[in-house]
Amino acid sequence: MTRQISRRSMLKASGAAVGAAAAGGAGAAVGAGPAAAAGTFAHPGLLHTRTDLGRMAAKVRAGAAPYTAGFARLTANRHAQSGWQARPQTVVCRGSGTPENYSLLYNDIHAAYQNALRYHVTGESAYADTAVAVLNAWSATLTAVDGSADRFLAAGLYGYQFANAAELVRDHGDFELARFQEMLSRLFGAACDDFLVRHNDAVVSNYWTNWDLASMACVLATGVFCDDRAQVARAVDYFKHGAGLGAIRNAIPVVYGDGLGEWLEAGRDQGHALLGVGLMGSFCEMAWNQGIDLYGYDDNRFLKGAQYVARWSLGGQVPFTANSRRKGAVGGWSGSETVTAAAGVDPSMTRPIWAMIANHYTRRRGLPATYVTRIAAKAAPEGGGGDYGPNSGGYDQLGFGTLTFTRDRASTASPAAAGPAGPASQSASASATATASASATASASASASASAVGKSGDLAATGSGDVVAWTTATGITALAGGLLLLRRRARGGR
């Protein structure tokens, strides 16, 4: 018999928004919610706020489209069933030359997330109980995330996903919150912090954009989940000013006069470009829900990159500026790689990433996003882990954006965070989102944890090589301490 969740524990008061991150540049942080000065965080406040959860529940109860189609994708998924049995491991390994077992981890994370989401829509406690049982089993068992260089991908991808699943049930009476926070911070957040500082002892551009973005998402999500303001500040500062390829101006190095922003990994392949766009979108959404506007940073630069990838993925022609990147170990072997054109695409390839981006720009902001809107409609209704293939790539995103991110047009475009939360399905109405009003005031620190996590001489097989130096006949602009050079073209030129 399913035990009922304590209503009192699920109605614990939660914080409001974290202080706004470093200011500077067009589209800098709009500001945090009114409670930011107190240094508190919004909970739930990663990919989904209390207002979001209330909207989903109300729309599904009302039989509203496309929420019902999105919810049907969730309930049909085998991971979203109560009673899912966790298979926790003491050590999780990812990468060649290791006894890989990381599929056990990502399957359990998606089961926890999907059950938690289903609970918030239906109010049925069996789903929350299942999510908590899975999360508690892992925090009681896991001692290390290991493997080849791919262990950093595991730490990043599964760390931010773990945090999102746990955020949805953090007030459950049986959830071991402190133990989970300790595991998340020590095994996932610390590894990702270290990767952003040392890049596994490789030159900074050795690893493609999605490697940085996975670590950035984990550092941000861990910081919010663990109420660590410094960690959140580091993640936001890296997004704006980081030396690696995940920082926004390195991930989207060229903006053209037609409003498209070249996505760096378009020169690599379609799958990794889609992964990167999904990760940057998730990063921006989690920041937004803490009162930090990165979607609009640098004149909506992310929108321009997403539009580029959407148009390209739909089979359209896109401009491309040739680039080269450095790769290799610090003080060891080195090389470079030049890419001269966008890779070929399969218009049928899809990932559940577009609903979140389309709804932010067109509904929250009221901005045109033609290609993103088209590809989001083509991908709808979005599923989640288990719906896009059995391998790890099918679990890189949490998904279900049609259910979770579809929204009515907003009357305000300010980032804000929700107040005290209860299960959305049990609330008479969702609490209104607080209007973001404070100006960005705090400058984020660029320094990160220096804990030794990497293994010397162990670089990833990152596709065609992994590192960057950009050159052109028209001039060279140095970025990232001289490690990344961009070929500049006149805006609108090709």
Side-chain angles (χ1 to χ4, degrees):
M1 177 174 165
T2 302
R3 184 187 53 75
Q4 292 297 313
I5 300 170
S6 164
R7 180 164 176 78
R8 183 180 64 166
S9 67
M10 291 299 292
L11 290 172
K12 285 181 183 176
S14 58
V18 67
V30 172
T40 53
F41 287 80
H43 295 300
L46 289 175
L47 288 176
H48 314 304
T49 67
R50 176 181 52 269
T51 300
D52 296 333
L53 297 167
R55 179 184 65 247
M56 298 173 217
K59 294 289 190 180
V60 170
R61 284 199 305 270
Y67 300 90
T68 50
F71 186 60
R73 291 297 304 269
L74 175 64
T75 58
N77 194 298
R78 70 184 183 90
H79 298 81
Q81 313 308 314
S82 62
W84 177 279
Q85 296 298 307
R87 294 176 291 176
Q89 305 293 302
T90 302
V91 178
V92 164
C93 292
R94 175 170 176 165
S96 59
T98 66
E100 291 191 308
N101 60 352
Y102 67 102
S103 66
L104 299 174
L105 175 60
Y106 65 66
N107 274 280
D108 279 358
I109 290 173
H110 283 258
Y113 172 76
Q114 291 179 27
N115 271 274
L117 193 59
R118 191 167 180 178
Y119 160 69
H120 279 284
V121 175
T122 67
E124 297 178 42
S125 61
Y127 298 112
D129 292 344
T130 296
V132 167
V134 171
L135 297 170
N136 282 348
W138 278 94
S139 68
T141 306
L142 188 63
T143 63
V145 177
D146 207 344
S148 67
D150 282 8
R151 69 193 180 280
F152 292 108
L153 281 178
L157 292 170
Y158 311 136
Y160 101 87
Q161 292 177 359
F162 240 156
N164 270 278
E167 182 77 351
L168 294 179
V169 293
R170 66 181 295 133
D171 291 328
H172 188 291
D174 288 341
F175 180 51
E176 296 288 348
L177 175 62
R179 189 175 74 196
F180 195 90
Q181 288 175 319
E182 193 275 337
M183 176 201 72
L184 187 66
S185 180
R186 178 171 56 87
L187 301 183
F188 295 88
C192 292
D193 247 335
D194 183 79
F195 181 81
L196 295 177
V197 173
R198 298 194 300 115
H199 286 87
N200 195 29
D201 294 324
V203 295
V204 71
S205 51
N206 188 73
Y207 292 95
W208 283 105
T209 299
N210 72 87
W211 287 74
D212 265 11
L213 285 169
S215 284
M216 291 160 60
C218 178
V219 172
L220 177 63
T222 302
V224 172
F225 188 79
C226 297
D227 295 304
D228 186 335
R229 297 184 69 192
Q231 195 165 15
V232 171
R234 289 197 300 273
V236 172
D237 185 72
Y238 197 94
F239 174 90
K240 295 179 178 181
H241 309 300
L245 301 187
I248 188 165
R249 291 190 184 96
N250 296 340
I252 307 169
V254 181
V255 174
Y256 298 96
D258 58 3
L260 296 180
E262 183 174 313
W263 189 265
L264 179 64
E265 281 195 278
R268 182 186 183 190
D269 60 58
Q270 184 184 8
H272 287 98
L274 291 172
L275 169 60
V277 170
L279 286 170
M280 186 172 284
S282 295
F283 189 91
C284 290
E285 184 70 18
M286 291 187 293
W288 177 273
N289 287 333
Q290 295 300 329
I292 306 167
D293 181 15
L294 300 179
Y295 276 119
Y297 182 74
D298 198 15
D299 193 24
N300 296 302
R301 195 179 189 96
F302 174 54
L303 171 60
K304 295 167 186 176
Q307 283 274 87
Y308 181 100
V309 173
R311 177 174 174 170
W312 170 62
S313 293
L314 287 167
Q317 294 295 311
V318 291
F320 192 87
T321 298
N323 63 77
S324 300
R325 64 187 190 86
R326 288 180 53 215
K327 55 186 179 180
V330 174
W333 66 273
S334 64
S336 65
E337 174 185 40
T338 299
V339 180
T340 59
V345 299
D346 175 2
S348 67
M349 181 183 292
T350 188
R351 284 178 182 253
I353 63 175
W354 296 110
M356 173 177 58
I357 302 167
N359 274 278
H360 173 80
Y361 287 110
T362 66
R363 298 304 180 103
R364 279 185 181 144
R365 281 278 166 78
L367 297 175
T370 305
Y371 303 113
V372 168
T373 301
R374 281 176 53 195
I375 202 167
K378 182 179 178 182
E382 289 180 354
D387 293 327
Y388 297 88
N391 299 321
S392 60
Y395 294 81
D396 284 343
Q397 286 82 34
L398 290 168
F400 300 106
T402 305
L403 169 66
T404 59
F405 297 114
T406 300
R407 62 185 72 246
D408 298 325
R409 190 174 299 279
S411 59
T412 178
S414 296
S425 59
Q426 295 177 5
S427 300
S429 63
S431 175
T433 304
T435 302
S437 59
S439 298
T441 57
S443 177
S445 168
S447 62
S449 169
S451 56
V453 180
K455 296 180 179 179
S456 61
D458 174 26
L459 300 182
T462 52
S464 28
D466 301 324
V467 184
V468 189
W470 311 86
T471 61
T472 83
T474 59
I476 297 176
T477 300
L479 292 179
L483 289 174
L484 181 62
L485 303 174
L486 285 180
R487 171 174 144 182
R488 299 290 187 187
R489 295 183 181 214
R491 292 176 69 91
R494 170 93 209 277

